[in-house]
Amino acid sequence: MGNTSCMFCTCVKQGNIGVVEQFGRFEKLAEPGLHIFNPFAGQYLAGILSTRISSLDVRIETKTKDNVFVQLLCSIQYRVVKAHADDAFYELQNPDEQIRAYVFDVVRALVPRMNLDDLFEQKGEVAKAVLEELGKVIGEYGYSIEHILMVDIIPDPAVRTAMNEINAAQRLQLASVYKGEAEKVLQVKRAEAEAESKYLGGVGVARQRQAITDGLRENILDFSHKVEGTSAKEVMDLIMITQYFDTIKDLGNSSKNTTVFIPHGPGHVRDIGEQIRNGLMEASTAQINVE
């Protein structure tokens, strides 16, 4: 409900303040509550002012130092000072237009000295400058500026598109760098793993050959001790023939349909045996030379 009044009394609600005149001249301020007037003495309620905080949105279009047109949306929060409510009632006819004009003047004097990036970073400084300048001027008319918020900075659409493209290009470049570093690490790790695998494979093959050599030597020594009159060469030939026939048997039992052509005959077995013996002798000679 609004403020209730009649010819002889009025009720000013909380959050408001009344202006009382006598014969057309300001007499006093009416605080919230019931007030009695003497109409025969010329007293009457001239008007009511709200002491609540009001908000005014101002949109300003201006140009920055680097020739970029921008729109700034400011939110000004102001209120009537109770002690100076008579000044607010009599001095300013349209306070919103007066405040908007001063905001335009301050912003258009400050923003053209700043680049667009600086404007985004220092929009709080712009709001502070508007608050200081506006507070000094509007305070003389019975108003108090509570807060000024720089709500939004809107560049020209073409500039916004260019800024987004620059940002996207920078992020893509950074992503490419990270991707390249990741691929580099992956290749290094893959190479290290391959080298380690080959090393371990070589160690395994060497141990396998060592085990075969040790087994053959033990078989030869054991056979020579149990069967008198046999030489190491004869025992080696016998083992090689046995291994040869075992290999032929394994090839025959294989389930894969693969045809393998190999020479077969006693002479070929002898050649294989000589090759193995020569290899063992060369390996032993190389080990002696190293030691």
Side-chain angles (χ1 to χ4, degrees):
M1 296 178 64
N3 299 284
T4 304
S5 64
C6 65
M7 184 179 296
F8 298 98
C9 66
T10 186
C11 182
V12 180
K13 296 184 67 64
Q14 187 69 32
N16 295 330
I17 191 167
V19 178
V20 180
E21 293 182 352
Q22 185 177 22
F23 296 114
R25 181 177 180 181
F26 172 73
E27 181 183 9
K28 64 178 180 178
L29 297 174
E31 296 285 344
L34 179 64
H35 297 271
I36 306 297
F37 301 116
N38 184 3
F40 301 104
Q43 287 184 338
Y44 63 95
L45 184 66
I48 299 290
L49 291 176
S50 174
T51 57
R52 299 174 183 177
I53 294 179
S54 300
S55 180
L56 174 64
D57 292 334
V58 182
R59 184 180 294 269
I60 312 111
E61 185 174 4
T62 184
K63 186 177 71 171
T64 62
K65 185 178 180 180
D66 46 355
N67 296 322
V68 177
F69 284 92
V70 294
Q71 290 186 1
L72 288 83
L73 181 60
C74 300
S75 178
I76 294 91
Q77 298 176 0
Y78 67 97
R79 71 193 311 168
V80 173
V81 181
K82 288 184 178 181
H84 303 285
D86 54 331
D87 293 332
F89 186 78
Y90 292 106
E91 296 295 335
L92 290 181
Q93 183 176 4
N94 191 340
D96 289 353
E97 290 299 325
Q98 296 290 336
I99 292 174
R100 184 177 284 108
Y102 281 111
V103 173
F104 268 78
D105 183 65
V106 175
V107 171
R108 286 181 173 174
L110 183 61
V111 171
R113 295 187 303 220
M114 305 172 65
N115 292 324
L116 181 61
D117 293 338
D118 297 335
L119 178 60
F120 277 99
E121 295 175 359
Q122 303 176 16
K123 65 177 183 178
E125 298 297 326
V126 176
K128 183 179 178 181
V130 175
L131 177 61
E132 292 177 354
E133 188 66 25
L134 190 60
K136 291 187 295 184
V137 177
I138 299 299
E140 299 177 358
Y141 300 107
Y143 286 90
S144 172
I145 305 298
E146 301 295 325
H147 301 284
I148 291 183
L149 303 176
M150 195 66 62
V151 179
D152 199 5
I153 300 174
I154 307 173
D156 185 82
V159 177
R160 296 176 62 182
T161 303
M163 292 175 65
N164 291 333
E165 291 178 354
I166 293 173
N167 191 12
Q170 291 175 347
R171 292 183 180 275
L172 288 175
Q173 183 180 7
L174 186 61
S176 300
V177 172
Y178 283 134
K179 184 178 180 181
E181 291 293 332
E183 291 179 354
K184 177 182 176 181
V185 172
L186 184 61
Q187 291 180 0
V188 170
K189 293 298 182 182
R190 186 184 294 115
E192 292 177 353
E194 185 177 357
E196 184 69 17
S197 175
K198 290 181 179 180
Y199 171 76
L200 295 177
V203 172
V205 172
R207 290 180 178 176
Q208 181 184 15
R209 292 177 179 176
Q210 183 65 36
I212 294 173
T213 303
D214 294 341
L216 290 175
R217 183 172 61 251
E218 292 177 358
N219 290 334
I220 292 172
L221 293 176
D222 185 63
F223 192 87
S224 299
H225 290 157
K226 291 183 179 180
V227 181
E228 297 181 355
T230 58
S231 63
K233 180 179 180 304
E234 293 173 347
V235 176
M236 188 67 183
D237 291 339
L238 179 61
I239 293 174
M240 291 302 303
I241 292 173
T242 303
Q243 298 248 341
Y244 177 76
F245 283 111
D246 288 339
T247 303
I248 297 297
K249 180 180 177 180
D250 292 336
L251 290 175
N253 293 333
S254 177
S255 60
K256 296 181 180 180
N257 296 325
T258 303
T259 303
V260 180
F261 295 93
I262 58 175
H264 178 67
H268 294 293
V269 177
R270 187 183 308 109
D271 293 338
I272 294 173
E274 291 179 355
Q275 292 176 9
I276 294 177
R277 283 194 297 272
N278 292 334
L280 293 174
M281 292 176 64
E282 291 177 358
S284 300
T285 304
Q287 185 176 2
I288 293 172
N289 292 334
V290 170
E291 294 176 352

